Amino acid sequence: QVQLVESGGGLVQAGGSLSLSCAASGSIPGINIMGWYRQVPGKQRELVATITSGDSTNYADSVKGRFTVSRDNAKNTVYLRMNSLKPEDTAVYYCNLRPIPYNFAISPNHWGQGTQVTVSS
């Protein structure tokens, strides 16, 4: 089992910054991808950013140039630095970890409990 514990959400004004962190514990696969997804009520959960254990990153177009994902493999922790926040970034942000290679049918897909980010205009 893998546990993911997020921290760092909150309320910020548009144009401001926030940082999120997610610490993983338990039976963590050595080669993995960690990342952040977000969800607003009534919509599908969407990708924000991911980073592999080899530090390859991927970002949603909507956050490129504003958000930075990073990780500390020694601490099994992934971070998300969010700059120039916009009201449309308001969502519950979820941490995710899954192994590489990932088989949708059989591989575990771990989620954190979510943390609220609210950007006021």
Side-chain angles (χ1 to χ4, degrees):
Q1 277 287 60
V2 172
Q3 294 79 42
L4 301 174
V5 178
E6 301 136 339
S7 60
L11 172 65
V12 65
Q13 287 190 330
S17 298
L18 275 178
S19 292
L20 306 180
S21 63
C22 172
S25 61
S27 301
I28 302 166
I31 301 173
N32 61 69
I33 183 167
M34 295 186 75
W36 297 92
Y37 291 73
R38 65 188 182 188
Q39 189 170 23
V40 297
K43 291 193 174 181
Q44 297 264 23
R45 193 171 295 187
E46 65 176 14
L47 167 76
V48 176
T50 60
I51 182 167
T52 70
S53 45
D55 285 337
S56 294
T57 58
N58 182 44
Y59 293 91
D61 288 343
S62 59
V63 307
K64 282 181 182 175
R66 300 188 298 121
F67 291 12
T68 302
V69 64
S70 61
R71 63 188 289 165
D72 183 334
N73 288 330
K75 295 181 179 180
N76 294 316
T77 300
V78 64
Y79 306 94
L80 185 68
R81 177 65 177 176
M82 303 182 289
N83 295 326
S84 303
L85 282 159
K86 305 174 181 180
E88 51 264 44
D89 294 317
T90 296
V92 177
Y93 283 69
Y94 294 91
C95 179
N96 175 262
L97 183 152
R98 59 186 189 273
I100 297 174
Y102 178 71
N103 184 311
F104 179 82
I106 61 173
S107 296
N109 191 12
H110 305 285
W111 294 96
Q113 80 281 4
T115 185
Q116 178 71 45
V117 171
T118 303
V119 184
S120 63
S121 56

